């Protein structure tokens, strides 16, 4: 794994949290994006080489809605940048990690992503991601 690509933070009200994190980080979000497959609306801030991703649920069955219900707002996942998500999935499966996604899928911000099950990683939800190569 190459670097911490981003840190995902679960929030209840993304507009309110955009304002808060803009003040905190002294930078505006560079994009907002809905990820239908995850039931989330996201916003991204660039902090040096690392992004902060805010996530708000778009419906009650969203994993983010369930997370907030159980644990409240806060850090949801850490995402590590890798060269190729599918290659890294194979390596992690070989090491015995339990993958939530056994194949890469499209995520927000033009990334090919997969999540490792937190029961494999001391309850830390870990995402791996690589940039989707533009044709
Ligand atoms: Zn993420």
């Amino acid at each position: 794994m190459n670097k911490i690509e981003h840190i995902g933070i679960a929030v209840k009200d993304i507009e309110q949290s955009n304002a808060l994190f803009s003040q905190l980080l002294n930078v505006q979000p560079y994009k907002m994006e809905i990820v239908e497959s995850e039931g989330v609306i996201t916003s991204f801030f660039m902090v040096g080489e690392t992004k902060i991703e805010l996530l708000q649920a778009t419906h009650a069955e969203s994993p983010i809605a369930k997370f907030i219900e159980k644990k409240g707002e806060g850090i949801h996942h850490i995402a590590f940048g890798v060269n190729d998500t599918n290659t890294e999935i194979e390596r992690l499966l070989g090491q015995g990690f339990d993958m939530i996604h056994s194949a890469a899928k499209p995520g927000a911000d033009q990334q090919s992503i997969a999540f490792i099950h937190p029961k494999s990683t001391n309850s830390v939800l870990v995402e791996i991601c690589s940039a989707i190569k533009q044709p």
Side-chain angles (χ1 to χ4, degrees), residues 6 8 44 53 55 77 79 115 127:
H6 64 268
F44 286 91
E53 175 185 32
L55 304 121
H77 65 272
F115 282 93
E127 175 184 348

Side-chain angles (χ1 to χ4, degrees), residues 15 21 29 39 43-44 46 57 60 65 71 73 78 95 104 114-115 134-135:
E15 293 298 342
F21 277 81
S43 66
F44 286 91
M46 201 76 216
K71 299 187 175 175
E73 293 179 297
I78 300 176
Q95 296 290 322
F115 282 93
Q134 300 302 316

Side-chain angles (χ1 to χ4, degrees), residues 4 23 26 32 42 56 62 82 110 116 120 127:
I4 295 178
Q23 286 180 314
N26 200 22
M32 289 186 77
T42 62
Q56 181 204 296
S62 159
V82 300
Q110 282 134 34
I116 307 171
S120 302
E127 175 184 348

